[in-house]
């Protein structure tokens, strides 16, 4: 157990059982959040992003991204621009096993846009894994709400953009991405647990 961000409650870094897959939010989690970024030259990894993804891959687990990109619906981004950013991110991190992208706006009422569970469910279906055996890492409450709605385990990695109430409401937090990934990979060694 470690103290949560901002002196918050202690949180378990080891979760029960090794996940079958790890899904990352994109903006604010894997890369610095530049609103509506469609320019691959502006993509900058968050501290520890490469090491976190590499740690998950080293355990043989699939890695994916689940990301809201409402800039498409708002006319601020094209699907090709979103794809160009994906290509740049994969040059920095290596190929990812699945991408689930919601191009809709908040008022569109879609089932995929986080905090709805659709992106996580779609990514899990593409990977052939159970959402209940999947972990989702993100930087805002919508990421964790989507994980909860899908039955997945969510871990919040707060940034300056994370609201204090989102941190207070999070069941699991980690001070940084690498700590979060390592915590997920320390599966419980209890009876019936993964080793």
């Amino acid at each position: 157990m470690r103290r949560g961000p901002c002196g918050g409650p202690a949180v378990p870094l080891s979760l029960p059982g090794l996940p079958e897959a790890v899904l990352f939010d994109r903006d604010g989690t894997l890369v610095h959040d530049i609103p509506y970024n469609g320019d691959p030259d502006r993509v900058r990894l968050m501290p520890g992003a490469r090491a976190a993804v590499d740690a998950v891959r080293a355990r043989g687990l699939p890695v994916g991204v689940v990301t809201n990109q409402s800039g498409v619906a708002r006319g601020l981004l094209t699907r090709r621009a979103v794809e160009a950013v994906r290509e740049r991110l994969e040059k920095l991190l290596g190929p990812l096993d699945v991408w689930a992208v919601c191009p809709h706006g908040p008022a569109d009422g879609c089932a995929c846009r986080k905090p709805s569970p659709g992106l996580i469910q779609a990514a899990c279906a593409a990977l052939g894994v159970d959402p209940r055996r999947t972990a989702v890492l993100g930087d805002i409450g919508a990421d964790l709400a989507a994980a909860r709605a899908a039955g997945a385990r969510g871990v919040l990695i707060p940034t300056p953009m994370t609201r204090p109430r989102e941190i207070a409401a999070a069941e699991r937090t980690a001070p940084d991405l690498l700590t979060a990934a390592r915590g997920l990979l320390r599966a419980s060694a209890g009876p019936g647990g993964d080793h």
Side-chain angles (χ1 to χ4, degrees), residues 9-43:
V11 294
L13 291 181
S14 294
L15 303 178
L18 187 67
E20 293 178 356
V22 178
L23 303 175
F24 294 85
D25 170 57
R26 192 188 85 176
D27 302 314
T29 303
L30 284 177
V31 300
H32 287 273
D33 189 1
I34 299 172
Y36 310 117
N37 181 35
D39 181 355
D41 291 335
R42 298 182 73 195
V43 173

Side-chain angles (χ1 to χ4, degrees), residues 80-92:
R80 178 64 197 122
V82 173
E83 179 66 12
V85 169
R86 180 197 67 78
E87 290 168 0
R88 174 66 179 150
L89 186 54
E90 289 199 344
K91 283 183 182 172
L92 296 171

Side-chain angles (χ1 to χ4, degrees), residues 58-72:
R59 290 295 296 267
L61 302 177
V63 176
V65 171
V66 288
T67 180
N68 289 346
Q69 295 299 319
S70 68
V72 175

Side-chain angles (χ1 to χ4, degrees), residues 166-188:
E166 294 173 328
I167 298 170
E171 185 178 337
R172 298 175 189 94
T173 64
D176 56 68
L177 196 53
L178 184 56
T179 301
R182 287 178 173 162
L184 289 170
L185 299 175
R186 281 195 296 269
S188 81

